Amino acid sequence: MLPSDCADAFGDRIFMTPGSTVIGLNKQYVFTVMPVSSAVENDFFKEMTGNVASSDSVLEFLHMEERQAVTVVLKYKAKLINKGLKEATVNRRLAALKSLVTMGRKLGVCAYSLSDIKGEKNQGYRDTTGVSKEAIAQILQQCNQDTLKGKRDYALLRLLWDNALRRNEIAQADIADFNPGSRTLIIRGKGQGTQTQTIKLTTSATTALTVWLQARGETRGDAPLFCALDNVHNGHRLTGEAMRYVVDKLSQKAGITKKMSPHRIRHSAITAALDATDGNLRKVQKLSRHANINTLLIYDDNRSNDQQELSDLLGDMV
């Protein structure tokens, strides 16, 4: 609570939110309010003090010496890791504490920094495994090309496999982006904003797209390359989620037990390309269009499983 004379001095200009704490107050009643009731901060104080965050506990934390504060936060980090929380979750909770400390520094109630405490490195692309080329062939065979939907789905799968495209790259493509004469498609790459890239298509993908577009009968260049065919959304741009549904249903029909998605087909294509080129990362990067070739190293490691081979080798030595 604020002193009554302080409240009288400010009158209607004083606003307090539930769970907020006054962390600065001088003789002229200049004060600042800091919210401390977030779930992350409460989790920190519960773990380290046994109680939820309060005015006293927050100020006590902010008034610590740097060595003490860093030690406490590192112990908290260790507790989170021991609980088996994911790296991203650990990093979010550390970031919340760093924000609290940064605000305390700005307001003059904290003299230390937590900048030396590093977050956990996210293990991206953990599972880059896909399915075999034989499994992909089985999925393709499920498309009934006597129907308009079958023609569309076959063309979609061809792009996902032949060019290892991301679903968003396909979703953004318009009819005008496809040139059957030069066998090319203009795509808007991941994180590239309005920048475009022209990719070469296989004969199979070019034929499949041509057959689909001719059967569809749409000629407007700004119309989506792939559209929905159901009664409710007919003609609307096919979304990434709709593509996932198509891939999932066709994969189940083909008897594929692994959960499939457009990105899983991309994984499969990249892995197959690495197999076919004996792990030529530079060449496969032209297919995958990964900005960082180190990402492909993860695909290659998962593909070759060198660790298993070396472990077996060591195991046979003794």
Short mmCIF file of all heavy atoms in Angstrom, two decimals, residues 46-71:
data_model
loop_
_atom_site.label_atom_id
_atom_site.label_comp_id
_atom_site.label_asym_id
_atom_site.label_seq_id
_atom_site.Cartn_x
_atom_site.Cartn_y
_atom_site.Cartn_z
N LYS A 46 8.73 -19.15 -6.42
CA LYS A 46 8.26 -20.37 -5.77
C LYS A 46 9.37 -21.40 -5.66
O LYS A 46 9.54 -22.06 -4.62
CB LYS A 46 7.08 -20.96 -6.56
CG LYS A 46 5.75 -20.30 -6.30
CD LYS A 46 4.65 -21.00 -7.10
CE LYS A 46 3.30 -20.36 -6.88
NZ LYS A 46 2.24 -21.02 -7.69
N GLU A 47 10.13 -21.54 -6.74
CA GLU A 47 11.21 -22.53 -6.76
C GLU A 47 12.33 -22.15 -5.80
O GLU A 47 12.88 -23.01 -5.10
CB GLU A 47 11.79 -22.64 -8.18
CG GLU A 47 10.96 -23.47 -9.14
CD GLU A 47 11.05 -24.96 -8.86
OE1 GLU A 47 11.93 -25.38 -8.07
OE2 GLU A 47 10.25 -25.71 -9.43
N MET A 48 12.65 -20.87 -5.75
CA MET A 48 13.83 -20.45 -4.99
C MET A 48 13.54 -19.98 -3.57
O MET A 48 14.43 -19.95 -2.73
CB MET A 48 14.57 -19.33 -5.76
CG MET A 48 14.92 -19.70 -7.21
SD MET A 48 15.69 -21.34 -7.41
CE MET A 48 17.25 -21.10 -6.56
N THR A 49 12.28 -19.60 -3.29
CA THR A 49 11.95 -19.13 -1.93
C THR A 49 10.80 -19.92 -1.30
O THR A 49 10.58 -19.81 -0.09
CB THR A 49 11.57 -17.64 -1.93
OG1 THR A 49 10.30 -17.48 -2.60
CG2 THR A 49 12.62 -16.81 -2.65
N GLY A 50 10.07 -20.65 -2.11
CA GLY A 50 8.92 -21.39 -1.60
C GLY A 50 7.65 -20.58 -1.58
O GLY A 50 6.60 -21.08 -1.17
N ASN A 51 7.71 -19.32 -1.99
CA ASN A 51 6.54 -18.44 -1.98
C ASN A 51 6.41 -17.72 -3.32
O ASN A 51 7.39 -17.60 -4.07
CB ASN A 51 6.66 -17.39 -0.86
CG ASN A 51 6.74 -18.03 0.51
OD1 ASN A 51 5.84 -18.76 0.93
ND2 ASN A 51 7.83 -17.78 1.23
N VAL A 52 5.18 -17.24 -3.60
CA VAL A 52 4.97 -16.48 -4.83
C VAL A 52 5.65 -15.12 -4.70
O VAL A 52 6.03 -14.69 -3.61
CB VAL A 52 3.47 -16.28 -5.12
CG1 VAL A 52 2.79 -17.61 -5.34
CG2 VAL A 52 2.80 -15.51 -3.97
N ALA A 53 5.82 -14.46 -5.84
CA ALA A 53 6.49 -13.15 -5.85
C ALA A 53 5.72 -12.14 -5.02
O ALA A 53 4.50 -12.07 -5.06
CB ALA A 53 6.61 -12.66 -7.29
N SER A 54 6.48 -11.36 -4.26
CA SER A 54 5.89 -10.28 -3.46
C SER A 54 6.79 -9.07 -3.58
O SER A 54 7.90 -9.14 -4.10
CB SER A 54 5.78 -10.71 -2.00
OG SER A 54 7.08 -10.87 -1.43
N SER A 55 6.31 -7.94 -3.06
CA SER A 55 7.12 -6.71 -3.09
C SER A 55 8.47 -6.93 -2.43
O SER A 55 9.51 -6.57 -2.97
CB SER A 55 6.37 -5.58 -2.38
OG SER A 55 5.11 -5.36 -2.94
N ASP A 56 8.45 -7.56 -1.26
CA ASP A 56 9.69 -7.75 -0.51
C ASP A 56 10.64 -8.70 -1.21
O ASP A 56 11.85 -8.44 -1.29
CB ASP A 56 9.36 -8.27 0.90
CG ASP A 56 8.67 -7.24 1.77
OD1 ASP A 56 8.81 -6.03 1.45
OD2 ASP A 56 8.00 -7.62 2.74
N SER A 57 10.09 -9.81 -1.75
CA SER A 57 10.98 -10.79 -2.38
C SER A 57 11.58 -10.27 -3.68
O SER A 57 12.75 -10.53 -3.99
CB SER A 57 10.23 -12.10 -2.64
OG SER A 57 9.13 -11.90 -3.52
N VAL A 58 10.80 -9.48 -4.43
CA VAL A 58 11.33 -8.90 -5.66
C VAL A 58 12.44 -7.90 -5.35
O VAL A 58 13.51 -7.92 -5.96
CB VAL A 58 10.21 -8.22 -6.47
CG1 VAL A 58 10.79 -7.43 -7.63
CG2 VAL A 58 9.23 -9.26 -6.99
N LEU A 59 12.19 -7.03 -4.39
CA LEU A 59 13.21 -6.05 -4.02
C LEU A 59 14.45 -6.71 -3.44
O LEU A 59 15.58 -6.29 -3.71
CB LEU A 59 12.63 -5.05 -3.03
CG LEU A 59 11.70 -3.99 -3.63
CD1 LEU A 59 11.05 -3.16 -2.53
CD2 LEU A 59 12.45 -3.09 -4.59
N GLU A 60 14.25 -7.77 -2.66
CA GLU A 60 15.40 -8.48 -2.10
C GLU A 60 16.25 -9.08 -3.23
O GLU A 60 17.48 -9.03 -3.20
CB GLU A 60 14.92 -9.60 -1.18
CG GLU A 60 16.05 -10.35 -0.49
CD GLU A 60 15.54 -11.43 0.45
OE1 GLU A 60 14.32 -11.52 0.65
OE2 GLU A 60 16.38 -12.18 0.99
N PHE A 61 15.57 -9.62 -4.25
CA PHE A 61 16.28 -10.19 -5.40
C PHE A 61 17.03 -9.10 -6.18
O PHE A 61 18.20 -9.26 -6.54
CB PHE A 61 15.28 -10.90 -6.31
CG PHE A 61 15.86 -11.37 -7.62
CD1 PHE A 61 16.88 -12.32 -7.65
CD2 PHE A 61 15.37 -10.88 -8.82
CE1 PHE A 61 17.41 -12.77 -8.86
CE2 PHE A 61 15.89 -11.32 -10.03
CZ PHE A 61 16.91 -12.26 -10.05
N LEU A 62 16.37 -7.98 -6.40
CA LEU A 62 16.98 -6.89 -7.15
C LEU A 62 18.11 -6.20 -6.40
O LEU A 62 19.00 -5.60 -7.00
CB LEU A 62 15.92 -5.87 -7.55
CG LEU A 62 14.86 -6.34 -8.55
CD1 LEU A 62 13.80 -5.27 -8.76
CD2 LEU A 62 15.48 -6.73 -9.88
N HIS A 63 18.11 -6.29 -5.08
CA HIS A 63 19.14 -5.65 -4.27
C HIS A 63 20.35 -6.55 -4.01
O HIS A 63 21.31 -6.13 -3.34
CB HIS A 63 18.55 -5.20 -2.92
CG HIS A 63 17.66 -4.01 -3.04
ND1 HIS A 63 16.75 -3.65 -2.05
CD2 HIS A 63 17.50 -3.11 -4.03
CE1 HIS A 63 16.10 -2.57 -2.44
NE2 HIS A 63 16.54 -2.22 -3.63
N MET A 64 20.32 -7.77 -4.52
CA MET A 64 21.45 -8.69 -4.31
C MET A 64 22.72 -8.17 -4.98
O MET A 64 22.68 -7.37 -5.91
CB MET A 64 21.13 -10.07 -4.91
CG MET A 64 20.22 -10.93 -4.09
SD MET A 64 19.99 -12.54 -4.92
CE MET A 64 19.08 -13.42 -3.64
N GLU A 65 23.86 -8.68 -4.51
CA GLU A 65 25.10 -8.47 -5.22
C GLU A 65 25.10 -9.35 -6.46
O GLU A 65 24.44 -10.39 -6.49
CB GLU A 65 26.31 -8.81 -4.33
CG GLU A 65 26.48 -7.88 -3.15
CD GLU A 65 27.71 -8.24 -2.33
OE1 GLU A 65 28.43 -9.20 -2.73
OE2 GLU A 65 27.95 -7.57 -1.31
N GLU A 66 25.84 -8.95 -7.47
CA GLU A 66 25.79 -9.67 -8.74
C GLU A 66 26.16 -11.15 -8.57
O GLU A 66 25.50 -12.03 -9.15
CB GLU A 66 26.72 -9.02 -9.77
CG GLU A 66 26.68 -9.71 -11.12
CD GLU A 66 27.28 -8.87 -12.23
OE1 GLU A 66 27.53 -7.67 -12.02
OE2 GLU A 66 27.50 -9.43 -13.32
N ARG A 67 27.19 -11.44 -7.81
CA ARG A 67 27.62 -12.82 -7.63
C ARG A 67 26.50 -13.67 -7.04
O ARG A 67 26.25 -14.79 -7.48
CB ARG A 67 28.86 -12.87 -6.73
CG ARG A 67 29.36 -14.28 -6.43
CD ARG A 67 30.56 -14.23 -5.50
NE ARG A 67 30.25 -13.53 -4.26
CZ ARG A 67 29.62 -14.09 -3.24
NH1 ARG A 67 29.21 -15.34 -3.31
NH2 ARG A 67 29.37 -13.40 -2.13
N GLN A 68 25.81 -13.11 -6.04
CA GLN A 68 24.70 -13.84 -5.41
C GLN A 68 23.55 -14.06 -6.40
O GLN A 68 22.99 -15.16 -6.49
CB GLN A 68 24.19 -13.06 -4.20
CG GLN A 68 25.18 -12.96 -3.05
CD GLN A 68 24.63 -12.08 -1.95
OE1 GLN A 68 24.20 -10.95 -2.19
NE2 GLN A 68 24.65 -12.58 -0.72
N ALA A 69 23.19 -13.01 -7.12
CA ALA A 69 22.06 -13.09 -8.06
C ALA A 69 22.34 -14.11 -9.16
O ALA A 69 21.47 -14.92 -9.51
CB ALA A 69 21.78 -11.72 -8.66
N VAL A 70 23.54 -14.07 -9.72
CA VAL A 70 23.90 -15.00 -10.79
C VAL A 70 23.85 -16.44 -10.28
O VAL A 70 23.36 -17.34 -10.96
CB VAL A 70 25.30 -14.67 -11.36
CG1 VAL A 70 25.80 -15.79 -12.25
CG2 VAL A 70 25.26 -13.35 -12.12
N THR A 71 24.32 -16.64 -9.06
CA THR A 71 24.30 -17.99 -8.47
C THR A 71 22.87 -18.50 -8.32
O THR A 71 22.57 -19.66 -8.65
CB THR A 71 24.98 -17.98 -7.09
OG1 THR A 71 26.35 -17.59 -7.24
CG2 THR A 71 24.93 -19.35 -6.44
#
